[in-house]
Amino acid sequence: MMDRNIKKGFLKIDSDFVHLCDEEFERALSRGVSELCDGKDVRVVGLTGPTCSGKTTAAKKLISHLGDSQKIVHVISLDDFYKDNFSKEDLKDTDLTKADFDSPDTLDCELFYEFVHDLFEKGRAKKPIFDFKTGERSVWEEFSADDDDVFLFEGIQVLYPKVLSVIEKAGGKILAVRPMSAIDVDGNVFEPDYIRLCRRLVRDSNFRGAEPEFTFPLWNGVRANEEKNIFPYFDRCDVRIDTTMAYEMNVLAPYLRNLLGGISQSYAYYGQSREILQRIDKIEGIAPNVISKGSLYKEFV
């Protein structure tokens, strides 16, 4: 059980507060990456965290750190090992409240085993690139494993027992990122999982073309999978980084108002939408251009 930590947020913030938070997070992430890699001959790294945790930013930091040590880093997205026929079009008639897009069953574990085995036993292996628009594996790419190369396996699936055992067997180290702190904005406390839901609503709209009508019904399934297949294995991670940003509700608020403000009363998640809008009602938004280019929050806005 994680110790509960609360960060102080504000109804109104300025750019100095944003930059201070970003600098604090950058230092924490740098310390975590150094702890994971320094003084160790690391060839395999697993990077994981639940949805909307900040894995992309952590991956960039890992690549930069390892690159500074003259190592070639190969990033392997575990999403590329999804099974075929997993597109929105194929799932258009699916009851999204019962759909489980993150279940271990969606991953082609046999193909993953084969890839890792060939990579380290034969020195060469092929993997697909998964196309989320078609829901199929599009093209295949080949990797070769030179002695000094590092392989970074990235995805929520890293902590799935069948995947984790392969990474650990290869001597891999695990870095996990996750919002761990709540944010108190004028007595209104936003818990970490609530923050992630807000992040996902905004990210799905901004970068995946998915509106709240698609994201809301999936959330319960996402959370159920995390509690069953991800969080119980967090204690096997070598380093854990808290990605809660004290300013983030100010950044998310304008997007959430735009996304949820026009939802019809007949919509099944109208009540949940109104609850979010009421909680952020007094929070003053801040423009995304205030956020620094390398900030974690560029993943969402």
Side-chain angles (χ1 to χ4, degrees):
M1 186 75 175
M2 294 187 306
D3 293 333
R4 188 172 182 270
N5 186 45
I6 299 179
K7 294 189 175 183
K8 180 64 176 176
F10 301 92
L11 293 175
K12 183 178 181 179
I13 60 174
D14 57 21
S15 59
D16 288 341
F17 182 70
V18 173
H19 296 155
L20 184 65
C21 293
D22 281 342
E23 290 169 2
E24 181 182 349
F25 174 73
E26 176 68 18
R27 288 193 294 271
L29 185 55
S30 295
R31 288 194 300 270
V33 170
S34 296
E35 180 183 344
L36 187 79
C37 302
D38 285 358
K40 305 180 183 74
D41 185 20
V42 178
R43 292 203 67 203
V44 177
V45 176
L47 172 61
T48 192
T51 183
C52 289
S53 286
K55 292 185 290 296
T56 300
T57 301
K60 291 177 181 177
K61 188 67 180 178
L62 272 168
I63 293 168
S64 175
H65 183 94
L66 293 167
D68 289 343
S69 60
Q70 308 302 311
K71 293 180 180 291
I72 297 175
V73 184
H74 303 277
V75 181
I76 312 293
S77 173
L78 288 174
D79 287 351
D80 285 329
F81 292 91
Y82 272 132
K83 295 176 181 177
D84 281 344
N85 300 317
F86 196 55
S87 69
K88 287 183 184 178
E89 182 64 24
D90 295 315
L91 297 165
K92 63 183 179 181
D93 296 324
T94 300
D95 181 353
L96 294 179
T97 63
K98 298 179 181 179
D100 188 355
F101 293 90
D102 297 319
S103 164
D105 294 335
T106 63
L107 211 64
D108 191 336
C109 290
E110 291 185 7
L111 181 62
F112 176 69
Y113 301 155
E114 181 182 337
F115 174 79
V116 176
H117 175 271
D118 288 351
L119 192 62
F120 292 107
E121 295 298 324
K122 301 178 182 179
R124 190 173 295 273
K126 288 184 177 182
K127 79 162 190 65
I129 297 176
F130 188 84
D131 187 330
F132 279 89
K133 292 183 179 179
T134 65
E136 297 178 348
R137 299 161 184 164
S138 53
V139 298
W140 291 71
E141 57 182 341
E142 186 173 70
F143 292 85
S144 58
D146 293 335
D147 290 342
D148 290 332
D149 288 1
V150 177
F151 292 86
L152 172 59
F153 293 94
E154 183 272 331
I156 63 170
Q157 307 95 331
V158 164
L159 288 181
Y160 292 173
K162 291 181 179 180
V163 175
L164 183 58
S165 64
V166 173
I167 293 176
E168 290 180 334
K169 186 177 180 180
K173 300 294 182 181
I174 308 296
L175 173 66
V177 293
R178 173 187 179 185
M180 300 179 191
S181 301
I183 304 172
D184 184 341
V185 183
D186 197 35
N188 190 3
V189 179
F190 296 87
E191 297 293 344
D193 292 333
Y194 193 96
I195 293 168
R196 287 194 300 114
L197 171 59
C198 292
R199 285 181 178 183
R200 179 149 177 173
L201 286 165
V202 172
R203 183 211 64 183
D204 283 2
S205 175
N206 284 344
F207 299 112
R208 301 195 176 184
E211 296 307 306
E213 289 82 357
F214 184 83
T215 302
F216 269 127
L218 295 177
W219 187 245
N220 287 340
V222 167
R223 290 288 296 113
N225 177 67
E226 292 170 351
E227 294 295 338
K228 179 180 179 182
N229 297 304
I230 299 176
F231 294 157
Y233 305 99
F234 248 65
D235 60 354
R236 289 169 69 174
C237 298
D238 297 278
V239 176
R240 293 179 285 274
I241 305 292
D242 183 3
T243 66
T244 300
M245 310 297 285
Y247 65 72
E248 60 183 282
M249 297 313 300
N250 302 80
V251 176
L252 294 173
Y255 290 94
L256 292 169
R257 291 184 184 112
N258 182 56
L259 284 171
L260 305 178
I263 286 181
S264 169
Q265 293 187 30
S266 63
Y267 174 51
Y269 291 85
Y270 174 78
Q272 192 169 359
S273 300
R274 296 305 304 173
E275 187 265 347
I276 293 174
L277 289 172
Q278 289 169 4
R279 293 193 66 188
I280 64 173
D281 180 55
K282 296 181 180 179
I283 296 177
E284 292 194 23
I286 191 165
N289 59 11
V290 173
I291 304 170
S292 60
K293 186 177 180 180
S295 171
L296 163 82
Y297 241 77
K298 290 299 184 181
E299 293 190 31
F300 311 113
V301 299

